[in-house]
Amino acid sequence: MRCEHLLKEQPAVAHCKGFFLCGQEPFVADEYIERLAWRTPGGGSRGGEAFDPKRLLEEFVNHIQELQVMDERIQRKVEKLEQQCQKEAKEFAKKVQELQKSNQVAFQHFQELDEHISYVATKVCHLGDQLEGVNTPRQRAVEAQKLMKYFNEFLDGELKSDVFTNSEKIKEAADIIQKLHLIAQELPFDRFSEVKSKIASKYHDLECQLIQEFTSAQRRGEISRMREVAAVLLHFKGYSHCVDVYIKQCQEGAFLRNDVFEDAAILCQRVNKQVGEIFSNPETVLAKLIQNIFEVKLQSYVKDQLEEHRKSDAEQYLKNLYDLYTRTTNLSSKLMEFNLGTDKQTFLSKLIKAIFISYLENYIEVEIGYLKSRSAMILQRYYDSKNHQKRSIGTGGIQDLKERLRQRTNLPLGPSIDTHGETFLSQEVVVNLLQETKQAFERCHRLSDPSDLPKNAFRIFSMLVEFLCTEHIDYALETGLAGIPSSDSKNANLYFLDVVHQANTIFHLFDKQFNDHLMPLISSSPKLSECLQKKKDIIEQMEVKLDMGIDRTLNCMIGQMKHILAAEQRKTDFKPEDENNVLIQYTNACVKVCGYVRKQVEKIRNSMDGKNVDTVLMELGVRFHRLIYEHLQQYSYSCMGGMLAICDVAEYRKCAKDFKIALVLQLFDTLHALCNLLVVAPDNLKQVCSGEQLANLDKNILHSFVQLRVDYRSARLARHFS
């Protein structure tokens, strides 16, 4: 209504306002002027009308006036709105101040209320303390009065209270009688002996009833009832008896199988889950159960198993002791998972020690005694199977003197023994001895006290050295040495290399056991150096005998070659009667010697390993070369005989190639070159002697070969060689 009134009073202003509101688009001055001119008659923008600038100017002036009026109106409205806004802002600010004041007042009231509440709470607490201070003596007095009432019943000798006559109130009766029992202990005996006796009797009766109730509940499997009764009995002297009953009943039917250790582990596992629900001190109860199992079940079982064989069968006794101790320690490891108190490791170790201490104190003596008798039996059984009476290897002055002379001269002292090809070394015997020693080391590791372990292991090792190295290997070496024939024996059978081969194999087994089973037991103790020295001494001692036997065997081989050469080589082989009728390529002696040498080379390779093969073959090759060299020096050679000698040496050189030793082949190459001096023309002697293979040889050696020629004494040959 108000808007319509304004339009009626000022139609021009309303008209002017329409220009601004048209389309509600942003105001653009040029467009605004265009619209104004277009709507003004004579403005010139309509077709067919004459342009009237005065009318347009008048319209513009009127319109400007309308805009001014409109501006004034809007300005008044803005001022009015600003005044209204300021007024409302002042009212709002005033309202906010009033709210702040109200808030401050409310906060002050809240603080006062809080202080008042605190004050009241303090008063209430104080009042509560006062009430408690009054009520506690009152309760004590009431309780004392009740106890006096019950005490009077014991004085009168007639228990009338329902708590003593009603079996369902055994828990309350137990609490009362436990307190009366404590009071009775403070009373003088002369005046209250009778009542003290009655209270004690009732105390004992209730204790028995509670234990019986606990036992019945355990048989029924009522864990909650067991927990209630155990809590009541906790303050009675018979609480430990309650635990004993629980432990006893837990074991009923638990050890029905043959494996007592597995049964014990299963029982402890089951009780461990249950005991915490029944007793307030489960770790103590479980520890007591374990102690009972060790001291009763396990100790009895161990004793039965060991005492049966302790004096009659040392082998079975040691096996049982090792097995039982191992299974007991394994059981202990399983029990370590349970809560047994602070130092469960020491607790379990003491239990194990208590069972086995009487057996472990003299364990090593039993072990050494058994190992000694068992090893002796293994050796004796072997020699009996060979129908061999073991001869004693003497010791003392004469024997030591013989040994020193033999080592220096390498001569056999005493008659040769025919061993019939027997080495008296057995891998079966060695394996048995090593197996027994291995088991002894394992038992020693398990059963010995850590401080005694290196010492005990050394004693076992000494037994191994005595029976394996001394009584078996060393005896076989001595027998083998005695069985080596003299170098001048004919058709001698050489078995010492078989001894060497088997001894070498045994040494490897011995060394493996030393490293695998002895070293871990002594590696961090002073006994290590002692064992290493003992091992070194025994090996060096045997190596001396092996070297001696090999040397004498090589001498025998050379002796056999000498016999072959002496028997098969004829003087006419190298100085034939008919120089033109020689049909053989090499002599029969050469064939047999080479055949013999090849067999011995193969035997040496099969008997030894590593660098020892090359060392022995080189020694044999050098001696073989010396033998052939000296053998050739014994004959005179015709031209055709010299050719045959060259063929023999070529065959010897071919045999030397089997040695695969460079030095041996070089020696035979040189010998072959020397043999060329037996056939070369006199005019070419100097040229041949200055050749590559002979140039570095001593002139006397060359001369000695030239002298073997049948034509040496001719003036021409002597003149050419001089």
Side-chain angles (χ1 to χ4, degrees), residues 211-223 225-226 245-246 248-250 252 274 278:
I211 293 174
Q212 184 61 39
E213 177 63 22
F214 182 88
T215 304
S216 301
Q218 185 175 1
R219 287 174 179 168
R220 295 191 302 268
E222 297 178 359
I223 301 298
R225 183 57 179 166
M226 292 169 65
V245 168
Y246 174 77
K248 182 180 179 181
Q249 290 200 165
C250 282
E252 290 180 359
Q274 184 185 81
I278 301 172

Side-chain angles (χ1 to χ4, degrees), residues 170 201-216 229 233 236 238 241 245:
I170 188 172
S201 176
K202 188 63 176 178
Y203 179 90
H204 179 70
D205 291 342
L206 278 174
E207 191 176 61
C208 292
Q209 290 179 34
L210 288 169
I211 293 174
Q212 184 61 39
E213 177 63 22
F214 182 88
T215 304
S216 301
V229 177
L233 278 170
F236 279 75
H241 185 56
V245 168

Side-chain angles (χ1 to χ4, degrees), residues 227-242:
R227 180 170 57 249
E228 293 176 5
V229 177
V232 175
L233 278 170
L234 181 62
H235 304 289
F236 279 75
K237 293 180 180 179
Y239 178 72
S240 60
H241 185 56
C242 172

Side-chain angles (χ1 to χ4, degrees), residues 387-401:
N387 293 321
H388 175 74
Q389 181 63 41
K390 191 176 180 183
R391 63 191 185 90
S392 61
I393 300 175
T395 57
I398 297 177
Q399 183 65 26
D400 291 344
L401 177 61

Side-chain angles (χ1 to χ4, degrees), residues 373-404:
S373 62
R374 178 67 176 172
S375 300
M377 186 195 73
I378 291 172
L379 290 177
Q380 189 58 47
R381 188 170 57 191
Y382 168 71
Y383 294 124
D384 290 344
S385 69
K386 299 295 181 182
N387 293 321
H388 175 74
Q389 181 63 41
K390 191 176 180 183
R391 63 191 185 90
S392 61
I393 300 175
T395 57
I398 297 177
Q399 183 65 26
D400 291 344
L401 177 61
K402 285 184 177 182
E403 185 66 25
R404 286 196 295 271

Side-chain angles (χ1 to χ4, degrees), residues 255 260-272 283 285-295 298 327-349 351-352 355:
F255 296 95
V260 65
F261 297 94
E262 185 64 24
D263 288 340
I266 294 173
L267 172 62
C268 292
Q269 185 73 33
R270 175 168 58 82
V271 171
N272 180 61
E283 66 280 356
V285 177
L286 185 59
K288 195 169 184 179
L289 169 65
I290 292 172
Q291 183 177 356
N292 182 269
I293 293 174
F294 271 74
E295 293 179 350
L298 294 187
R327 296 174 71 186
T328 305
T329 52
N330 291 340
L331 174 62
S332 174
S333 299
K334 293 179 181 178
L335 298 179
M336 283 290 292
E337 301 174 1
F338 305 142
N339 181 16
L340 305 177
T342 54
D343 196 359
K344 51 187 175 183
Q345 178 69 49
T346 305
F347 170 69
L348 293 172
S349 298
L351 293 178
I352 295 174
I355 295 176

